[in-house]
Amino acid sequence: MQFKALPPLTVIKPLLTAALTLSTSPIFAEVLEIKVSNPDGSAVDTMVIFAEPIGFNPPDKVSEKVEIAQEEWAFNPFMTVVQLQDEVAFTNKDDFTHHIYSISGNNRFSFKLKPKSSNSITPELNENSAAQIAMGCNIHDWMSGYILVVDTPYFGKTNKSGVTQLELTQTGSYKVTLWHPQLESENHLLSQTIDVQKDVTIEWKLPTALMVQLPEVNEDEFDFLEKY
Amino acid sequence: MRNHWILISCLLPSSALALEGNLKGIIDLRISHADGLQSYVSGGQGKLQHSSGSDLSLGQLGLAGSLELSDSTSIHGVVNGFADSDKDRLGFTELYLKYRTLPSADGFRNGMRLGVFYPAISLENHATAWSTPNTLTPSTMNSWIGEEVRSTGLEYTAEWLGKFREADFDIKLNGTLFLKNDTAGAMISWHGWTQSSRQSVIGERLPLPYTPALDADLSGQSRNSDPFHEEDSRPGYMTSLEWKLHKRGLLQFGYFDSNTNPFTVTNGQYGWDTRFLFGGFQWNLNREWSLQGQIMQGDTLMQSPARVDVVNNDYRSAYLSLGWRKGPHRVNTRLEEFSVTDLDNTVGDNNNEYGKAITLTYRYRMARQWFILGEYSWINSDRTARIYTGDDSQQIERQLQAAVRYYF
């Protein structure tokens, strides 16, 4: 891993930061920018990154409703990150039934979703740490999707350039974790501790290349029919 | 496509139990012109679905209903109707309770069916109400499954899903125990291999073509075979193994044994000890081209109460199907070869036959659920028993069909 200092900041920002630290709730953020790359230097996109404060609590966050669509025989998006207490709504946008399930730890669920219908779950953590939920459809076996449940408001996904920015409201030490269900590491996670006192950019090189394989688009035009 | 919902609310003292139903179906209207012998459907020695001449017919009216009892348990009923100049029938073709678990953490899944259902053999009949989405008529092998092979019993399936092991293939093991299929083998002996999208409905009787032995050694045999007859209360079994490579194709192997006592007769229905091996493959070469084939080889034995062989036949049927599709167009070419070899000495009941068939099908998808299909069938077969009705044993039969299909 490599740390790289950002270019000198403008004059205005320290002034603003100073002014805002006087208020009760910090609303200005230190930006933690992370760029993830493969060993060969190529960018890794759709990598999930989350940061958990070490020794202090993150700010409260209003819980949100996050939607995962079942569309064209696929979970859309393939990977979803939610904060604890967020509600996850599954909406079947296909015109045939799906049977969505998970057999992951304490986030087991199973329900049939008729066309155009919706159902919600509120996923839980796994023994007080981030929970990975692998989902499938018991009718269309090749469908797969993932949810990561985190107990922090600081999370994001890398873009095409392998970059994501987390806006942290407090300075201090953070445990920063990368996750991808196809990451070849223990529990598909990689972590490091980062001390954030000002805006920082980190270049994070994976030990082994991540070959992302999204589920292939289904090509059987008759899958809307009753199957034998 | 629209799903049709039936919400049945049973108002109980403390809670309401809601059962959800689902109805799907197929309507297939056809015009056809056939050039051949009287169809086997009405008791002739012809191999085509239609007797000679032109016809406007209901190729299939299929309704597949299900009722969800829970996430894992459901009841399924399939009603099929067929109407043409040779025969009109409407009735249940399948009725079963289905149970299917969720996969375990290592991808193992159990499944069960209890009731009347098709044993998992055909690779062609995989759409609503056991229809064939790519052709108007299935191969001779699967036409026979639709006519005479039906399981009334219990099917257990064990599946290992590859995605839980980071493998790209699934394995499925099937074990089925069944009753009420003790005459399977009669029609393949007495009319041989045929080609049709018809399916025998529960309770249907199948007319036998004339053979002189029906007035002699076979005088105890009814003129109509009951494909749902139980002769000896002994269950038959079927077992198969399927290996499915994601997106690319599958391989199947299986064995069927009716395990029937072959020397008893009740109400004009003999017991037939019918066994066959089957195998098949599906291979998607790319987005446009696909290849499918199946083969079945077996024997059937029917004896007199004195345990003398009355019908003892070996039989075989195989097809190879090449499909091409692009946009709304799909073209299918199927080649087949089939035979029945008569090994008994019964006078006036020669079951020998050998034949080849070509089926060319074009399908056009007009809208998501609407299809038009055109199909040309050519069957060249030599069947000695045709001489009993004054026809030449060697016949080339041809059939042209055009159909509109609506799946809902």
Side-chain angles (χ1 to χ4, degrees):
Chain A
M1 74 195 79
Q2 295 170 9
F3 291 83
K4 195 173 92 180
L6 277 177
L9 296 167
T10 59
V11 184
I12 295 171
K13 191 173 171 190
L15 288 173
L16 268 172
T17 310
L20 288 165
T21 45
L22 299 172
S23 67
T24 50
S25 62
I27 53 168
F28 201 86
E30 303 298 338
V31 175
L32 171 61
E33 182 177 289
I34 298 165
K35 183 178 180 189
V36 185
S37 57
N38 278 315
D40 66 358
S42 60
V44 179
D45 62 354
T46 70
M47 173 69 84
V48 166
I49 300 177
F50 61 98
E52 298 164 292
I54 298 173
F56 58 99
N57 290 325
D60 291 337
K61 182 184 163 242
V62 180
S63 60
E64 287 179 11
K65 190 168 180 173
V66 179
E67 186 184 88
I68 302 176
Q70 286 67 59
E71 202 167 5
E72 298 282 310
W73 300 277
F75 287 95
N76 186 14
F78 173 60
M79 295 158 62
T80 303
V81 196
V82 297
Q83 193 177 352
L84 185 65
Q85 295 180 341
D86 279 352
E87 185 183 340
V88 179
F90 296 90
T91 304
N92 182 359
K93 296 186 174 175
D94 284 324
D95 56 6
F96 42 85
T97 300
H98 289 295
H99 181 178
I100 307 304
Y101 71 89
S102 149
I103 51 165
S104 302
N106 50 352
N107 285 301
R108 287 166 176 268
F109 60 85
S110 161
F111 47 82
K112 288 191 175 170
L113 267 188
K114 305 298 181 188
K116 315 303 171 199
S117 72
S118 191
N119 200 352
S120 296
I121 61 165
T122 305
E124 295 172 11
L125 293 176
N126 188 12
E127 294 172 355
N128 292 324
S129 62
Q132 298 172 37
I133 305 174
M135 300 176 295
C137 172
N138 208 28
I139 299 171
H140 310 105
D141 285 331
W142 58 89
M143 276 176 69
S144 63
Y146 293 86
I147 300 174
L148 182 73
V149 192
V150 296
D151 192 13
T152 169
Y154 309 127
F155 56 82
K157 270 189 220 174
T158 56
N159 61 16
K160 285 254 188 302
S161 314
V163 175
T164 191
Q165 291 186 333
L166 304 180
E167 295 192 350
L168 310 176
T169 52
Q170 291 152 287
T171 57
S173 281
Y174 286 84
K175 182 186 176 192
V176 180
T177 306
L178 303 187
W179 172 73
H180 192 286
Q182 290 157 353
L183 191 61
E184 288 181 12
S185 61
E186 191 185 345
N187 224 0
H188 310 292
L189 300 166
L190 282 176
S191 295
Q192 59 173 290
T193 302
I194 296 173
D195 190 43
V196 181
Q197 297 303 332
K198 55 178 185 178
D199 288 2
V200 280
T201 295
I202 293 172
E203 289 195 3
W204 196 330
K205 204 162 251 189
L206 300 180
T208 51
L210 175 67
M211 309 299 283
V212 175
Q213 287 188 315
L214 293 174
E216 285 180 58
V217 176
N218 180 60
E219 287 169 10
D220 185 348
E221 56 189 335
F222 276 95
D223 263 321
F224 70 96
L225 303 178
E226 183 81 7
K227 295 264 285 184
Y228 269 85
Chain B
M1 185 191 66
R2 271 176 41 223
N3 274 281
H4 303 264
W5 298 111
I6 311 159
L7 196 68
I8 304 167
S9 293
C10 305
L11 293 171
L12 300 173
S14 55
S15 65
L17 174 68
L19 299 175
E20 279 190 322
N22 191 2
L23 186 67
K24 296 192 176 195
I26 171 180
I27 299 170
D28 173 330
L29 290 172
R30 296 186 196 177
I31 49 170
S32 60
H33 184 80
D35 177 17
L37 298 178
Q38 181 193 350
S39 170
Y40 77 93
V41 171
S42 54
Q45 285 280 14
K47 305 224 158 282
L48 297 168
Q49 183 156 359
H50 303 282
S51 296
S52 262
S54 299
D55 204 0
L56 173 67
S57 61
L58 178 65
Q60 185 175 7
L61 166 68
L63 295 172
S66 62
L67 197 60
E68 307 283 342
L69 305 179
S70 72
D71 275 351
S72 55
T73 313
S74 49
I75 294 173
H76 298 256
V78 184
V79 169
N80 270 300
F82 308 89
D84 57 29
S85 306
D86 286 286
K87 198 182 198 182
D88 299 342
R89 280 294 180 278
L90 174 72
F92 276 97
T93 49
E94 296 181 272
L95 187 60
Y96 56 86
L97 181 75
K98 183 179 176 181
Y99 172 75
R100 194 187 206 196
T101 62
L102 289 180
S104 66
D106 50 3
F108 178 73
R109 181 168 62 197
N110 290 301
M112 254 183 264
R113 287 195 292 174
L114 178 69
V116 188
F117 49 85
Y118 282 102
I121 296 172
S122 174
L123 298 181
E124 298 180 294
N125 302 69
H126 59 84
T128 309
W130 211 67
S131 57
T132 50
N134 297 331
T135 55
L136 285 176
T137 48
S139 61
T140 52
M141 165 182 162
N142 293 319
S143 295
W144 178 53
I145 302 288
E147 186 185 29
E148 259 201 319
V149 183
R150 202 79 48 92
S151 301
T152 300
L154 179 68
E155 174 192 75
Y156 168 75
T157 52
E159 290 174 275
W160 289 267
L161 302 178
K163 76 171 183 178
F164 289 81
R165 311 181 304 268
E166 286 167 17
D168 56 0
F169 62 89
D170 301 334
I171 295 172
K172 186 176 191 174
L173 189 65
N174 182 313
T176 303
L177 284 174
F178 59 86
L179 292 164
K180 294 179 82 70
N181 205 192
D182 286 348
T183 60
M187 303 314 291
I188 212 175
S189 299
W190 284 327
H191 67 42
W193 297 100
T194 58
Q195 244 188 27
S196 136
S197 61
R198 278 183 171 267
Q199 303 171 41
S200 297
V201 303
I202 294 173
E204 183 170 348
R205 300 289 184 271
L206 308 170
L208 307 187
Y210 173 73
T211 181
L214 286 170
D215 299 325
D217 290 354
L218 286 170
S219 59
Q221 166 68 40
S222 162
R223 294 298 196 267
N224 292 286
S225 180
D226 171 8
F228 301 95
H229 179 70
E230 178 55 43
E231 180 58 35
D232 55 11
S233 302
R234 292 199 329 195
Y237 64 93
M238 195 278 284
T239 181
S240 69
L241 183 67
E242 186 182 286
W243 180 84
K244 192 186 221 172
L245 187 62
H246 282 308
K247 306 292 170 191
R248 298 297 290 179
L250 67 83
L251 283 175
Q252 71 158 191
F253 297 98
Y255 179 67
F256 175 102
D257 188 343
S258 73
N259 189 35
T260 306
N261 195 342
F263 48 79
T264 57
V265 58
T266 312
N267 298 330
Q269 304 293 327
Y270 281 87
W272 294 70
D273 190 13
T274 296
R275 311 176 294 183
F276 58 83
L277 283 161
F278 62 96
F281 76 98
Q282 161 82 34
W283 191 252
N284 304 323
L285 291 94
N286 52 40
R287 288 174 73 97
E288 290 162 9
W289 293 91
S290 60
L291 201 58
Q292 185 186 78
Q294 283 187 279
I295 184 166
M296 169 188 283
Q297 178 158 345
D299 55 25
T300 184
L301 176 68
M302 186 266 262
Q303 297 175 313
S304 69
R307 305 195 182 187
V308 175
D309 288 3
V310 180
V311 181
N312 181 354
N313 291 333
D314 286 350
Y315 51 87
R316 178 160 58 181
S317 176
Y319 73 86
L320 193 61
S321 214
L322 178 69
W324 173 87
R325 72 178 162 102
K326 191 160 197 170
H329 310 281
R330 192 182 190 288
V331 177
N332 199 82
T333 305
R334 185 178 61 212
L335 305 177
E336 287 181 69
E337 188 175 29
F338 53 85
S339 67
V340 177
T341 307
D342 193 325
L343 304 171
D344 59 75
N345 299 313
T346 303
V347 176
D349 185 42
N350 189 323
N351 307 132
N352 281 311
E353 81 167 10
Y354 173 77
K356 292 177 179 174
I358 300 172
T359 309
L360 300 171
T361 312
Y362 170 70
R363 188 186 78 201
Y364 179 76
R365 188 176 203 169
M366 293 185 291
R368 184 169 165 77
Q369 295 156 259
W370 286 93
F371 300 84
I372 50 174
L373 296 97
E375 186 171 281
Y376 175 73
S377 309
W378 178 93
I379 305 180
N380 183 351
S381 61
D382 191 339
R383 180 169 182 80
T384 310
R386 288 172 178 149
I387 294 167
Y388 304 142
T389 46
D391 296 305
D392 289 342
S393 66
Q394 176 81 30
Q395 297 283 336
I396 294 178
E397 299 175 281
R398 303 174 188 86
Q399 181 177 259
L400 193 59
Q401 299 182 89
V404 178
R405 271 186 180 173
Y406 175 63
Y407 279 102
F408 59 94

